[in-house]
Amino acid sequence: MRIITFFLVGLIVHVIFFISIFDIYFTSPLVHGMTPQTMSLAPPASRLVLVVADGLRADSLFTLHSNGSSRAPYLRTIIKESGTWGVSHTRVPTESRPGHVALIAGFYEDVSAVAKGWKENPVEFDSVFNESRHTWCWGSPDILPMFAKGATGDHVYTYTYPAEEEDFASTDASRLDSWVFAQVKSFFQSAKSNSSLRASLHEDKNVFFLHLLGIDTNGHAHRPMSQEYLENIGLVDNGLSEMVSLVEDFFGYDGKTAYVFTSDHGMTNWGSHGAGHPSETLTPLVVWGAGVNSAQTVTEPQPYEDGYLQDWKLEHLRRVDVSQADIAPLMASLIGVPIPVNSVGVLPLPYLNNSDLFKAESMYTNAIQVLEQFKMKMAQKKETTLSFLFTPYHSPVVFPSHASFQISLCQSLISHSLEGLVYYHTYDRFFLGCSVVLGFVGWTSYVALVILKTHASLNRRPSILKTNLWQFSVLLTVITLFLFIQRSPATYYIYCLLPVPVWYSVLKESGTLTDLIKSAPSLPLWKCFGYFVLVAFGIELLVVSFFYRTMLTVGLAVLSLWPFLSGVFGIAKYRSLSWFFSCLFLALFPLMPVVGREPNIACAGLLTLFTSVCYLWSSQRQTPLHLSDRQLFVAQMLHVAMCAYVPSLTHSSLQQKQGLPLFNQIISWATLASSMLVPLVSSTRIFHRLLSILLSLTATYLLLSTGSEALFPPVLSWLMFVWINIEQEAMLAQGLSGRQELSSIDFSANIDIAKIRQLKLDDIRRSYFFVFFIITAFFGTGNIASINSFDPASVYCFLTVFNPFIMGGLMMWKVIIPFIIVMCTFETIQVATQLSSRSISHYVIVMSMTIFLMLLSVVTHILTSQRLIMWKRPKSHFS
């Protein structure tokens, strides 16, 4: 197979495997076709006011000042006298869009919504707003339009401020909340002189939604413990008090208004959200008004062991915790609208102040609504599965036919129905997972055989197995017919058919495997066992590092000993010691906090400049620089020094509420644009080109850094430079001849085919080093699979107005920069050790190993931990 064809096939295979992760684990849990369930009894409230304080943590609201006063006195009074309170437990991802979907629609949105930037509906779903008679909304343009767009009819009205107002550099982000309260006040005042609007407002089943973004914006910009964030809570509390008085006065204090105050998610101490830390998943819930129980005093200990009741001085008041999705059926029950058909929430009865019959009817309606989803999901899966292969969900489910059934039976029915929904949602997961694993193992085996056949000194005999094409053609036909009969999606064909041609190719190369097995006895038994133990330990270390970053520290500590164990130290003491210390310095980063704002950016700039000067001085003695190259490096080093200063200048300006300086923004975007262009005009000598790449990428990385992570690229580059040099010494230790001087190697020079050697056992070790350093670049400064590893302040040098796609792109580029440094280093080692870099099958097997380990870790994690898409009841305490 030609190299370019091999590369394209490998790329397609890996793209298919990558997409399969989303098809297997991140598909939408929604089903359609259910009938909304209504209740015949009259609801206690005619209207509902929902207030969502975006980004408000539970402890930030409930904790008292040191003098015993509350930063939210109005809500504190409600909690003590006329309402019921608790903690709402959110789900990952703790972002605004999925949080509001859980609150208003009652289900936990799938990850496919990320591709829509949390703004549009990736799938259609029902909501409390859709079921209402009229809904009026005020707030952010990122949240409100999605519920108006998804509603049937024209009864959801939205009032939003311009998107440009969502500026993290704003002098006063609380003005966003003041705008909302002012608009609500103006709305009710205008209704007094507008007869048609006044008539609509006095109808039943109306909803008023206030989305308050100021707290979230201040939290991102100044941190949740800042004065701006805490004062914004007081502003919201005061505005809420005035708004309630306004609403009650408008409706003549008829006692028909219910109020719900909560938050979509919390926030970490460093001002981010998205993951599952308790500070992000625990949000306040306060409900009062028509149909809601007033405060109840308790004397016995409550079933919460988190200790927060004592911290908040609320241990004498009953606390009722809920899942975030439970708020949707609660709101629907209060105003008498059908529970959203896709809701997986369970009605929290302790919040209701009504008759036992009303509670029983409400719980019965909730149970039937969830059961309808289960039955529809089961019917859909049964239609697409052959009858003799279909395995129904078995559970002791009681199907009530009337509300007179006990509430406990309805709750049991809901629990079993939710388990059944998970069962059918993941019905094909094992089947698809096996197909993908079979294909990936086949592809990895094929690449390994190709490498052995091309580069190893084997006899390369023809295959001893008969691989008749017609047999595989029959197998392809059978699989296709099986999937067609089951009416499987198009992607299922790809995942199930791909292993067939891959394993056909493996069997065609089986002769190479036979030769390898025959040559194995030439190695001593103890040596084979030693290699097996090392490989097993190395792979396990990589897998465990996906869950525990500190394992990277262990791995780097072990790698630091390699020169001493391999004999390289005897011929290159200085470089061996440099390798030892650079590994240990890099090993410190997995032990550091994921994010922070320590003033280390200037130190990172100085370290980069020091490293650059050292390597320029070292290479200058062997290969003098041309004047143009010297000028380019000086200009790049001055640029790095400037970029080390720009972040501190930017953050200082933002702290003084002077906004993002235009000059800093121009410098930042110009640096980003030139980071991949400037190295192309530098010298093609190995170290000169690598140094130019390092300086360009580090300049961008500094602009995207907020703390100690700025030191990561310089330290990583130091280790990579040492790795290149020490590999040269390793070749001498192995007695290989024909070693080239690094200073004489030119990337642009033609490769001497006569000097290209065959693969050696040491190349496996180099490949493992490459995979390990790639994973270190991936997790070294934080787990990038966790959204809250990213500090929003990282992009403040480029923009401060909220834009998820641009901000996400900049953060991803920050993640990719260490990858580029490692990959450029590996390419250099390929050339320096005289292994053809044009034989890219070597890269393919390495990347196959990398992605295989990633998939293995993801599968292991999902099988052994809580699934994101499972409708599992959360704990009733802070965990």
Side-chain angles (χ1 to χ4, degrees), residues 646-720:
V646 166
S648 59
L649 182 63
T650 299
H651 292 300
S652 175
S653 176
L654 296 180
Q655 287 178 356
Q656 298 173 11
K657 299 184 179 180
Q658 296 177 354
L660 172 60
L662 179 60
F663 175 77
N664 294 12
Q665 194 173 18
I666 293 174
I667 291 295
S668 300
W669 285 108
T671 300
L672 177 65
S674 63
S675 60
M676 295 302 293
L677 300 177
V678 172
L680 299 179
V681 300
S682 65
S683 171
T684 54
R685 298 285 181 177
I686 277 187
F687 280 129
H688 297 166
R689 176 57 63 87
L690 287 179
L691 183 58
S692 180
I693 293 173
L694 166 64
L695 291 172
S696 293
L697 296 180
T698 302
T700 305
Y701 200 93
L702 291 175
L703 295 172
L704 292 168
S705 300
T706 61
S708 58
E709 82 271 18
L711 294 166
F712 186 73
V715 176
L716 178 65
S717 301
W718 174 22
L719 177 59
M720 294 297 101

Side-chain angles (χ1 to χ4, degrees), residues 499-512:
V500 177
V502 169
W503 280 102
Y504 173 76
S505 302
V506 171
L507 293 179
K508 287 183 63 177
E509 303 293 343
S510 59
T512 304

Side-chain angles (χ1 to χ4, degrees), residues 280-443:
E280 302 166 87
T281 61
L282 305 178
T283 59
L285 174 62
V286 183
V287 187
W288 72 99
V292 180
N293 270 324
S294 57
Q296 296 186 15
T297 303
V298 295
T299 55
E300 297 181 356
Q302 301 190 56
Y304 302 102
E305 301 176 357
D306 46 53
Y308 283 90
L309 281 171
Q310 291 73 24
D311 294 341
W312 298 338
K313 304 294 188 295
L314 293 171
E315 64 273 14
H316 62 288
L317 295 174
R318 186 177 66 162
R319 166 180 159 188
V320 183
D321 283 12
V322 301
S323 297
Q324 193 172 49
D326 297 344
I327 298 176
L330 173 62
M331 294 190 296
S333 177
L334 288 173
I335 59 175
V337 300
I339 298 174
V341 295
N342 302 119
S343 172
V344 295
V346 181
L347 179 64
L349 292 178
Y351 279 86
L352 296 181
N353 179 21
N354 217 309
S355 64
D356 292 339
L357 177 61
F358 181 87
K359 293 179 180 179
E361 286 279 1
S362 299
M363 185 57 70
Y364 173 77
T365 303
N366 191 184
I368 297 301
Q369 170 261 323
V370 177
L371 178 63
E372 286 295 312
Q373 293 184 75
F374 168 77
K375 293 165 66 175
M376 184 61 66
K377 194 77 173 180
M378 180 177 64
Q380 290 179 356
K381 186 53 60 181
K382 195 170 184 179
E383 289 178 0
T384 58
T385 306
L386 296 177
S387 57
F388 65 92
L389 294 177
F390 180 72
T391 306
Y393 172 73
H394 293 290
S395 179
V397 178
V398 179
F399 295 88
S401 58
H402 193 269
S404 59
F405 275 73
Q406 295 180 1
I407 291 178
S408 60
L409 291 180
C410 293
Q411 292 173 331
S412 175
L413 173 60
I414 293 175
S415 176
H416 289 302
S417 297
L418 292 178
E419 291 176 2
L421 280 173
V422 175
Y423 173 79
Y424 287 118
H425 182 70
T426 59
Y427 191 86
D428 293 331
R429 180 171 292 180
F430 181 77
F431 167 68
L432 293 176
C434 290
S435 299
V436 171
V437 170
L438 187 63
F440 206 109
V441 172
W443 172 251

Side-chain angles (χ1 to χ4, degrees), residues 565-579:
L565 301 176
S566 62
V568 176
F569 179 74
I571 60 176
K573 291 183 174 58
Y574 171 76
R575 288 173 178 172
S576 297
L577 289 175
S578 184
W579 168 272

Side-chain angles (χ1 to χ4, degrees), residues 750-768:
N750 292 325
I751 298 177
D752 187 354
I753 302 299
K755 294 183 179 180
I756 298 302
R757 61 177 177 82
Q758 292 181 333
L759 284 175
K760 301 293 182 182
L761 196 59
D762 225 32
D763 292 312
I764 299 178
R765 189 260 309 158
R766 293 187 184 98
S767 299
Y768 179 81

Side-chain angles (χ1 to χ4, degrees), residues 51-82:
V51 181
V52 177
D54 203 306
L56 177 60
R57 294 163 42 150
D59 59 340
S60 297
L61 178 69
F62 295 136
T63 302
L64 300 176
H65 289 299
S66 57
N67 60 5
S69 63
S70 173
R71 59 177 58 99
Y74 177 74
L75 285 172
R76 190 79 177 189
T77 302
I78 295 295
I79 293 172
K80 290 182 175 181
E81 298 176 0
S82 58

